Amino acid sequence: MQDQEHVVVTINGEEYLAAPGQNLLDLINTTGKFVPQICYNEALGPVQTCDTCMVMVDGGFMRACGTTVKAGMDVNTELEIVNATQKEALDRILENHELYCTVCDYNNGSCEIHNTVAEFGLEHQSRPFEPKPYEIDDSSPFYRYDPDQCILCGRCVEVCQDVQVNETLLIDWEREQPRVVWDNDVPIDESSCVSCGQCATVCPCNALMETSMVGEAGFMTDQEPGLLRSMIDVTKKAETGYGALMAVSDTEASMREERIEKTKTVCTYCGVGCTFDVWTKDRKILKVEPQQESPANGISTCIKGKFGWDYVNSEERLTKPLIRDGESFVEVEWDEALDYTARRFSEIKAENGADALGFIASSKATNEESYAMQKLARQVIGTNNVDNCSRYCQSPATKGLFRTVGHGGDSGSIDDIAEADMVITVGSNTAESHPVLASRIKRSQKLFGQKLYVFDLRKHEMGQRADKFFQPKSGTDLVWLSAVTKYIIDQGWEDRDFIDKWVNGFADYKQSLEKFTLDYAEDLTGISKDELVSIAEQIASVDKVVICWAMGVTQHQLGSDTSTAISNLLLITGNYMRNGTGAYPLRGHNNVQGCSDFGSMPNYFPGYEKVADDDVRKRYENAWGVEIPPEPGKDNHEMIGAIHEGDLRGLYVLGEDTGIVDANINYVTAAFDKLDFFVVQDLFLTETAKHADVILPAVPSLEKEGTFTNTERRFQRLYKALDPVGESRPDWAIITDLAGRMGYKWEYDSPSDIMDESASLAPLFAGVSYDRLTDYNSLQWPVAADGTDTPLLFVDGFPFDDNKARLYPLDYELVYDTNDEYDLHVNNGRVLEHFHEGNMTYKSKAITSKMPTAFIEVSPELAKERGINEGAEVKLISEAGEVTGTVHITDRVSGRELYLPLNDNGKTAVNYLTDNTVDKDTDTPAFKEIAVKMEIIKKKGRSPLPPNNYRRGDPQPQIGVQPERKWRRDDYIFPGSQVKQNG
């Protein structure tokens, strides 16, 4: 009956092979047999609340979704008594849900109640619909809950508790009339809900629905509530029996298909790379619907990816090219703007040489547009002065990985992070910066025992959830990492077999660790010797370790060295080359990985081949018909310095608000005003664009095609969902047109042509093509010419000549600290609601209502010392500048640590405080090394966090839906027992 790989199960008299431990309902679904299954969702697993999947197993009734196959199991889905039991369960659902499909906004072919009733062939229900004693909760600006339509399936609870792991939703099974509740039974908008929207995504009916869908999806749903109620009553009277109702509503649903477009796209915010279908009606964005087959996110989303698309239709969008006329701008036609730009670029090149021009590409734009930008710089202009915003965040991580393992990207996939026995995060506010990825860690920790150690200055959500949370002194992560590594080696706990086979330089590296004693590390980091030993013991005791890090590591003067120390530790412990292990520098922007991959860097061609390499350079010279300088160009930090020195005379910035996001705002904007010619290409009149001579209107991702590469090195394709606004154009088209006006006619009819060219030149993604990236298909680089990709790096060795990784010796000197005058340290980073400076998210009224402005986090002890209260207004002064902002007092920060979110482009913009200090190896600004003094303007005031901010909520953690509480109710009878009782 059973072998090593399969068990035999009999279903309706036929034998089927099943995998040991397989879910019975999953097996039945492969056979073509129909079994109702309203509460079941493949992404959620068994919920066991709806009872519709009742089948006979070995003579007794069982829920198929909650049953695991066993050898010899005899299953029947077709007996009359089984059918009667399933009908009983369906009747109970319809007692809780009123069918009025034709005038329901959810009548889009995906309502699982509608579809199940239709396929089951149910004509009438034996239990009439009973309204519930609860009002609709439409307090949230993002979605609404209608208790009258809720069938208490609990999918929303399951996804909130155990997939998103925000732990806001539960079902109160003990009240007289159960219902879904938020936190301890408060309105949605007053709860800990983070507005990720996953509850609405998994709801099988119209109980939970995006507010943007309400009154918009159907042909007859845009009515006042009273009139809609009348229409529902008329519909029900006219459509006697469910057969007629289904026929009419199916016709109406098919009509919707003619006007509602569903387009696959890729999220335009962080580097997780969530993909989903966006539903549009004309220019209205009705909803974002993630799909199970989305490789990075599955059914998951966050507030920005699900609801942060208002900027696309903002009235502030640029719609025509602009040319400066004195202190203002005038609209011009494209020909005038591009001819003028081409002429001025040519004049500057002729007068001052090609290196007098600089180009900054966008991590928000596509891979193809990055390729076009660096080609414009190198082929058309003849300079390597091209860079992108990875210089502000991820270049040190890439440098550290290049030094040690040879590829500057994540070792594996997000699945590998979830699979690890232990995850260490360093300098990463993961739950707010990469919320969907953070949920995978939270789920593994909650349900599967994964250990989570968090190192950060601030006790954010991941710090609160951690098994162990550590607060090392700012800028000292390299020290504890090296000390832990030294202790592991001193104890003989290193993976000697792995090192001997796959790693070079052990002896020199071991010698370099001599100074990193436990005493030295305790003194510098503030982490005790006992804790350091405990960390080492934990790392050495588990099989699979993953380390994730972000800007809390990279935005320091030793960012590259600290990234290197992370990789050294992983090599010493053998945590590469296997699933569930490795290094994960979490990329901050949607395409910051891809923008660098495709050559918008001063020292690399696409695919990280050096411009100084004669053979590589010759390949591009032959393809492009020009000579390319062998010397690396200026990075964006060096470009600003060169402007002040008079060496850089013209600058082209694409999709980057450099004047806000670069360090030392006053210094950067002063440079802009010294330029002979400045071009900015963007969606809006940004702070940077206000300094430009020419502004070119670009389009967002929904209005073009292309590819992004996420933090996993994953190529994903986006499709055009909307036509461009006004006369705006895709970035690649603008650059191509400009190149043509400068004498280089590029034969690109679409972005796929650009991808084909880049793949033909860069071995790292030789096999990437649009044909291989259709729909939800993706590829992770390196991609061989035959299309074989690499989800897990280094399986066959490391990309060095001898196939071995390299341990990289490091030293340490404390290069930053506060002092008596500037006695407070300002940490900074992202928040969940907004993205970076907020140019996109502040266009959303709903998101802005949750967080209307940036703020300054102050610890309770510092607030007491300075005599300030919540809502106080303070001025922070550094040696470079000053900001003013409103105080939020929280124990997320401690002592003299302050936290200032990045999401401001006004008086609270953090880069008024930063200076020109950079990482010594990559020129990444040391954004995290800010010493300030505080002046108090007002001692108390209105809190910067509104009452409806999720941080004020009260989550209620539990495992799943807890259906056993339903089964214990006095009014619950098992459907099989009910049918037997009724005869």
Side-chain angles (χ1 to χ4, degrees), residues 174-187:
E174 279 70 42
R175 66 169 66 192
E176 181 178 353
Q177 182 70 58
R179 62 156 284 173
V180 176
V181 295
W182 279 251
D183 284 358
N184 51 349
D185 199 7
V186 298

Side-chain angles (χ1 to χ4, degrees), residues 785-957:
D786 65 359
T788 302
D789 71 337
T790 315
L792 180 66
L793 289 177
F794 317 127
V795 172
D796 299 317
F798 298 88
F800 295 114
D801 289 342
D802 61 1
N803 225 26
K804 290 187 176 184
R806 302 169 178 176
L807 287 163
Y808 191 94
L810 298 166
D811 199 356
Y812 180 81
E813 181 180 350
L814 184 66
V815 290
Y816 160 81
D817 212 339
T818 55
N819 54 44
D820 289 342
E821 180 180 3
Y822 299 99
D823 60 335
L824 305 175
H825 174 252
V826 176
N827 188 18
N828 55 83
R830 305 194 193 282
V831 291
L832 176 69
E833 296 89 340
H834 288 291
F835 192 79
H836 220 69
E837 75 290 325
N839 285 345
M840 297 189 295
T841 47
Y842 277 119
K843 304 298 188 292
S844 167
K845 182 179 178 182
I847 290 178
T848 303
S849 74
K850 292 287 187 178
M851 181 173 283
T853 183
F855 48 83
I856 299 170
E857 285 188 352
V858 175
S859 69
E861 55 267 36
L862 183 63
K864 182 178 180 180
E865 175 191 308
R866 301 296 166 97
I868 57 177
N869 299 287
E870 181 77 6
E873 186 176 358
V874 299
K875 179 183 290 185
L876 303 181
I877 303 167
S878 74
E879 291 186 342
E882 62 185 42
V883 303
T884 58
T886 307
V887 165
H888 174 52
I889 299 172
T890 173
D891 59 6
R892 282 190 290 271
V893 291
S894 61
R896 294 175 177 267
E897 288 287 340
L898 306 174
Y899 183 77
L900 179 54
L902 299 173
N903 57 296
D904 198 288
N905 57 18
K907 64 181 182 179
T908 316
V910 68
N911 284 320
Y912 283 115
L913 298 174
T914 51
D915 59 22
N916 293 335
T917 305
V918 296
D919 170 52
K920 63 184 179 61
D921 297 308
T922 63
D923 278 350
T924 293
F927 291 104
K928 298 295 189 285
E929 298 180 2
I930 312 171
V932 300
K933 56 187 176 182
M934 177 190 291
E935 291 184 1
I936 300 168
I937 299 171
K938 187 171 65 173
K939 289 195 171 183
K940 63 180 178 179
R942 187 175 181 179
S943 175
L945 280 188
N948 66 337
N949 189 278
Y950 78 91
R951 294 165 181 81
R952 300 190 181 280
D954 183 19
Q956 304 291 310

Side-chain angles (χ1 to χ4, degrees), residues 326-337:
E327 294 301 309
S328 60
F329 294 95
V330 295
E331 290 186 345
V332 298
E333 298 303 319
W334 274 103
D335 283 344
E336 182 177 351

Side-chain angles (χ1 to χ4, degrees), residues 59 124 172 216 289 310 339 392 427 521 624 628 641 785 838:
H124 300 280
D172 185 350
E216 289 288 350
E289 186 176 55
D310 302 61
D339 284 345
Y392 301 145
W624 293 346
I628 299 171

Side-chain angles (χ1 to χ4, degrees), residues 594-628:
C595 196
S596 295
D597 293 347
F598 277 74
S600 286
M601 301 186 78
N603 53 336
Y604 289 116
F605 285 112
Y608 301 101
E609 295 186 291
K610 294 179 179 179
V611 297
D613 187 310
D614 293 341
D615 292 336
V616 173
R617 195 172 61 258
K618 181 63 67 176
R619 187 192 318 143
Y620 282 87
E621 289 176 337
N622 290 339
W624 293 346
V626 297
E627 288 189 10
I628 299 171

Side-chain angles (χ1 to χ4, degrees), residues 340 397 583 671:
Y340 177 47

Side-chain angles (χ1 to χ4, degrees), residues 697-727:
V699 303
S701 58
L702 290 188
E703 294 175 6
K704 62 185 175 185
E705 293 192 353
T707 61
F708 293 150
T709 305
N710 78 341
T711 191
E712 307 168 290
R713 303 169 283 106
R714 186 184 301 278
F715 287 88
Q716 297 184 107
R717 188 171 167 187
L718 50 132
Y719 295 81
K720 180 180 173 183
L722 300 169
D723 289 329
V725 168
E727 296 180 22

